[in-house]
DNA sequence: TTGCCCATGTAATTTGTTACATGATTTA
DNA sequence: TAAATCATGTAACAAATTACATGGGCAA
């Protein structure tokens, strides 16, 4: 049956969710979303609630997770909590060990806009860069803060390592923006010619 | 009518395609895909053929691009070529100037796997890092090569700037992988996490 | 003349988001 | 007690990919 092979070919996001469960705790969809926002977010995008819920259903159907309803003592609405199965542990371990390394996916909106520099005033290019710089510094700080919370716990050693990586990554993003600000300034003053007027609406040629 | 506002709220990928057209040439879907692969790819993901075709239809419907069929002299199948309109230039310029700067989207598969280090043998972590390192160095070199082709043309000044950025970005990715290899080795030899930064690779050096 | 790759698309499917529904809990 | 918010989902929609269809040029 094709089903057997499909189990091994889940999208990366499924593995990310199963990875969250692989630390062993029994968690609800809501818990997973919150945790995802505080960890995966730094190097992988954090899926929406609805996608986490549907990934959980898929994982359960594949036999990689099991769930049960939990009645809240205070009369709160019941919730469904998930736990990874033995099959799930085997599968996610195999995935992490044996899947070919594929390149990261980057969609860098700010760079896309700077690539269209012929449509911008130099001040607007700088504005984009400064805002990105601030974003990067903020992310860096949050990575440091989260790493602080995760240290001294042996089981968080590898998550802590990736937070360390994230700290450096966002420091680099910040510095890259600064370097590009310099380059824009140099282009503006130095080698005059291109873009000195800033506004170049006649690029469409013959018209 | 809601239609008028929808025109201004296209997804980023539409603006990317319109941005490709904003340099003024008349291009087919196939041309756009090829060019996208050699430019956008470094900082924005390159959309598939089919998506480029559907974006072109959407842009034409919005009045931002016009198309015509071109009969090939050699009897080859006719093809449709697109050109940006005045409305399109105005729209993409407005987008590039006035849209709020939103954060880049990163889906870093290699980091996701290292985050799950408790499922891996140390050798496997290193393998992932080495392969990512090689990928990053290859991208860096391609960015350098493409920048070589784009220099000395005034209209490519800003694309050239983003290629410069890409060169540094991938150099940094490469160095970040090297730093993490060190951290994994340190963790392995029992001394817990490595020092808290300070010895970071110099981003502006463009090694 | 068979098979393969280039070029130009369309259709089916999957992935992921936003908007909505529901109920309990807190707060003003 | 009304409004805001937390928590748990479902449904409708949009974005994006893979698979497929088509036809010409070219190499074995």
């Amino acid at each position: 049956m094709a089903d057997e092979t499909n189990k091994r070919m889940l999208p990366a996001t499924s593995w990310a969710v199963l990875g969250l469960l692989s630390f062993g705790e029994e968690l609800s969809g809501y818990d997973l979303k919150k945790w995802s926002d505080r960890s995966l977010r730094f190097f992988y995008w954090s899926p929406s609630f609805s996608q986490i819920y549907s990934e959980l259903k898929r994982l359960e159907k594949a036999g990689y997770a099991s769930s049960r309803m939990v009645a809240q003592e205070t009369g709160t609405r019941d919730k469904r909590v998930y736990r990874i199965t033995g099959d799930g542990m085997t599968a996610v371990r195999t995935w992490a060990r044996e899947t070919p390394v594929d390149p990261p996916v980057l969609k860098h909106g700010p760079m896309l806009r700077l690539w269209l520099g012929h449509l911008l005033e130099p001040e607007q290019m700088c504005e984009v860069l400064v805002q990105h710089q601030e974003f990067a510094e903020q992310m860096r700080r949050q990575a440091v803060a989260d790493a602080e919370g995760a240290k001294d716990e042996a089981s968080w050693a590898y998550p802590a390592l990736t937070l360390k990586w994230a700290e450096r990554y966002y420091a680099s993003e910040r510095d890259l923006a600064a370097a590009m600000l310099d380059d824009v300034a140099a282009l503006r003053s130095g080698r005059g010619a291109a873009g000195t007027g800033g506004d170049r609406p006649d690029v469409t040629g013959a018209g």
Side-chain angles (χ1 to χ4, degrees), chain A:
Chain A
M1 291 188 148
D3 216 28
E4 289 301 317
T5 63
N6 284 343
K7 279 191 187 178
R8 296 254 161 92
M9 292 252 297
L10 295 172
T13 303
S14 292
W15 297 116
V17 173
L18 193 57
L20 286 165
L21 289 172
S22 78
F23 289 87
E25 292 179 66
E26 190 174 45
L27 297 163
S28 68
Y30 194 85
D31 297 332
L32 285 163
K33 170 61 174 167
K34 277 189 303 183
W35 188 19
S36 169
D37 283 347
R38 297 202 311 105
S39 56
L40 295 185
R41 174 172 70 104
F42 291 103
F43 50 89
Y44 208 82
W45 112 116
S46 193
S48 62
F49 274 112
S50 62
Q51 198 182 357
I52 286 182
Y53 288 124
S54 51
E55 294 299 350
L56 286 170
K57 276 183 195 161
R58 163 152 54 183
L59 291 171
E60 184 163 30
K61 196 172 154 201
Y64 293 163
S66 63
S67 74
R68 64 190 180 95
M69 296 301 291
V70 175
Q72 310 292 77
E73 57 293 329
T74 61
T76 297
R77 172 155 55 160
D78 291 358
K79 70 177 179 180
R80 184 174 293 275
V81 290
Y82 290 83
R83 180 182 286 285
I84 194 169
T85 63
D87 262 19
M89 279 300 283
T90 305
V92 69
R93 191 183 292 115
T94 302
W95 174 78
R97 292 180 177 204
E98 296 177 10
T99 297
V101 180
D102 38 30
V105 174
L106 178 65
K107 293 174 82 163
H108 206 301
M111 258 331 115
L112 176 60
R113 292 167 75 171
L114 297 170
W115 185 73
L116 298 174
H118 61 291
L119 303 174
L120 298 167
E121 303 290 342
E123 302 79 41
Q124 293 163 330
M125 300 189 73
C126 293
E127 178 61 19
V128 169
L129 281 165
V130 167
Q131 284 200 41
H132 175 58
Q133 207 175 12
E134 285 164 2
F135 158 78
E137 172 60 10
Q138 192 184 325
M139 286 293 279
R140 191 193 66 79
R141 268 205 273 266
Q142 286 173 17
V144 172
D146 282 22
E148 187 61 21
K151 77 173 182 190
D152 298 331
E153 308 238 5
S155 55
W156 303 116
Y158 296 112
L161 222 55
T162 57
L163 281 175
K164 187 80 199 155
W165 178 89
E167 178 191 343
R168 293 169 183 156
Y169 177 87
Y170 288 103
S172 168
E173 275 293 280
R174 181 199 57 198
D175 296 346
L176 250 37
M180 195 159 181
L181 276 167
D182 290 346
D183 288 351
V184 170
L187 192 65
R188 216 171 154 181
S189 58
R191 301 172 298 162
T196 45
D199 198 355
R200 299 156 52 77
D202 284 338
V203 154
T204 48

